[in-house]
Amino acid sequence: MTKICVLAGDGIGPEIVAQALRVLAKVGERFGRSFEIENALIGGCAIDATGGPLPQETVDKCRASDAVLLGAVGGPKWDDLDPAIRPEKGLLGIRKELVLFANLRPAKLFSELRDACYLRPDITAKGLDVMVVRELTGGIYFGEPRGEELREGKRVGWNTMIYHEDEVRRIGVVAFEAARKRGKKVCSVDKANVLDVSRVWRAVMREVAAQYPDVEFSEMYVDNAAMQLVRDPSQFDVMVTGNLFGDILSDEAAAITGSIGMLPSASLGSGGPGLYEPIHGSAPDIAGQNKANPLATILSISMMLRHSLGMAEEADAVDAAVEKTLAQDYRTGDIMQPGAIPVGCKEMADAVLANI
Ligand code: NAD
């Protein structure tokens, strides 16, 4: 029995997770697998129920599972809360508790959705299949000291971008290992022309690269990388970078594909359960209206099957079903195209189920 801890969260989280779990159940039926689902609270719904975004019970349930599926957290209802107990703290907290230091975000352009891509056809003709490997538990999001105060009557805020060489090395290894299973290219992204922390990053990443002579290695400043992603994304296979730059670049890579409603992600540590979630947020503007695209969450199930549960065949079946559903022209609003069949969140999942 495989144990999955499900953190549906806020906004569209419960809708998309419910549909993804139907797909998981169908996979179980077809391949003779049984999945035990344990639900737990995170984010705004956890604040409402317990006063904090990450109850200890949630952490315990996640630790006792083989993998964690997360919907999304946050929404306007909680925007004005003290930053220390905002919904996003639950997300940062669970990553920290499970020591999920590596975030793998594939940004792939499905051929059926080529028209939705923001780039010119001559650029996308060369292909877009980038994996951004982002360091997740260090860097400026966690660095101390941090704070805000009044200095001579003026507001001042500060954070610290800090990386220990061990943190750089372990994310480097994840990136090079990922590249070995893909296009055998790693580009390390930093700001070594300005930041001391990036010079340490760069030195350590070169040491890791030396261990992988079969993988082509390059380095790029983050400003150039942001530009190259839109000029010619086909030059990239795996991009590895720190927490802040990775946050931005992975969203950029995702956005140019045309729909953040299509993209899954995996957060992995060394041992222990991995966490799988769509890259988009809780989309409060469409929550509760059966408008959300469930495919990113369904593809997160596929990544979970592949990376945490050792069920590659099952994962292939989910991927193939999603591709077939797109080929059958089913589209939620976010990926709508002229002449396509408009469907809601549940109907999109129905179509995927029928294709498994
Ligand atoms: P968002 O990703 O929630 O929404 C951005 C836009 O994309 C919206 O127009 C939304 O309707 C659309 N969209 C997102 N997912 C979609 C889907 N599956 N199908 C169709 N359309 C979709 O980002 P935002 O508006 O900046 O943030 C909303 C809330 O989500 C905020 O509270 C934010 O803090 C939170 N957030 C959470 C996560 C997470 O849980 N991992 C990530 C980002 C933002």
Side-chain angles (χ1 to χ4, degrees):
M1 177 75 81
T2 304
K3 274 179 113 174
I4 313 287
C5 185
V6 174
L7 313 176
D10 311 313
I12 59 170
E15 301 166 52
I16 52 178
V17 159
Q19 298 312 321
L21 289 177
R22 289 175 67 214
V23 172
L24 184 66
K26 181 73 187 275
V27 167
E29 214 174 278
R30 186 180 143 193
F31 290 88
R33 305 278 193 183
S34 45
F35 300 101
E36 185 187 322
I37 306 298
E38 177 88 82
N39 290 289
L41 297 172
I42 194 168
C45 60
I47 294 171
D48 290 349
T50 69
L54 184 63
Q56 185 58 41
E57 189 187 344
T58 296
V59 176
D60 294 342
K61 283 182 177 177
C62 288
R63 285 208 180 111
S65 67
D66 295 298
V68 179
L69 179 69
L70 178 95
V73 301
K77 182 178 175 190
W78 304 282
D79 275 354
D80 297 327
L81 288 178
D82 174 350
I85 58 153
R86 291 265 306 258
E88 294 75 12
K89 277 280 171 188
L91 209 54
L92 297 179
I94 194 67
R95 289 170 180 165
K96 198 89 181 166
E97 289 287 345
L98 299 178
V99 202
L100 303 174
F101 64 85
N103 187 219
L104 277 58
R105 292 206 202 183
K108 180 178 164 182
L109 181 61
F110 289 85
S111 57
E112 293 84 2
L113 299 179
R114 194 152 279 190
D115 292 347
C117 182
Y118 292 114
L119 303 180
R120 290 199 317 259
D122 60 307
I123 296 175
T124 55
K126 290 194 273 181
L128 198 180
D129 187 359
V130 181
M131 167 88 85
V132 179
V133 176
R134 165 189 171 193
E135 200 290 323
L136 209 53
T137 51
I140 198 163
Y141 291 177
F142 294 98
E144 298 285 349
R146 58 163 69 203
E148 50 184 297
E149 65 185 19
L150 280 178
R151 290 184 189 169
E152 293 165 5
K154 303 279 186 195
R155 285 162 295 180
V156 177
W158 67 96
N159 292 84
T160 303
M161 190 187 272
I162 180 165
Y163 271 113
H164 188 287
E165 66 169 301
D166 294 347
E167 293 175 302
V168 181
R169 191 166 288 113
R170 67 182 182 177
I171 193 72
V173 167
V174 169
F176 278 89
E177 291 292 335
R180 272 189 171 162
K181 297 182 193 130
R182 297 175 39 104
K184 293 194 165 49
K185 278 176 21 175
V186 168
C187 178
S188 171
V189 176
D190 60 37
K191 191 69 185 170
N193 50 342
V194 178
L195 299 175
D196 303 79
V197 56
S198 282
R199 284 193 282 277
V200 172
W201 175 282
R202 197 168 263 227
V204 178
M205 207 49 84
R206 284 180 186 179
E207 291 167 15
V208 178
Q211 306 298 312
Y212 291 85
D214 53 320
V215 177
E216 189 184 317
F217 177 62
S218 61
E219 296 164 322
M220 203 177 272
Y221 297 137
V222 63
D223 44 344
N224 187 28
M227 184 173 66
Q228 294 300 330
L229 258 179
V230 288
R231 287 180 69 165
D232 180 14
S234 72
Q235 69 187 286
F236 298 114
D237 176 32
V238 171
M239 300 175 93
V240 61
T241 189
N243 208 341
L244 173 64
F245 301 153
D247 191 358
I248 299 165
L249 290 179
S250 56
D251 269 8
E252 183 192 358
I256 57 183
T257 65
S259 176
I260 60 170
M262 289 298 304
L263 298 166
S265 74
S267 301
L268 308 174
S270 32
L275 183 143
Y276 297 82
E277 58 181 317
I279 67 144
H280 57 71
S282 59
D285 54 330
I286 57 166
Q289 301 169 43
N290 193 39
K291 285 183 180 168
N293 185 348
L295 293 179
T297 317
I298 291 170
L299 290 168
S300 299
I301 292 272
S302 159
M303 286 190 90
M304 174 193 286
L305 291 164
R306 198 181 302 281
H307 294 282
S308 278
L309 307 181
M311 300 183 190
E313 205 187 334
E314 288 83 342
D316 288 344
V318 175
D319 291 347
V322 168
E323 296 248 10
K324 192 166 173 197
T325 301
L326 292 173
Q328 290 166 336
D329 279 340
Y330 292 110
R331 301 284 186 273
T332 43
D334 58 314
I335 52 173
M336 198 56 205
Q337 289 166 310
I341 306 162
V343 289
C345 183
K346 178 178 176 300
E347 294 72 30
M348 183 63 106
D350 288 344
V352 175
L353 280 174
N355 287 324
I356 286 187

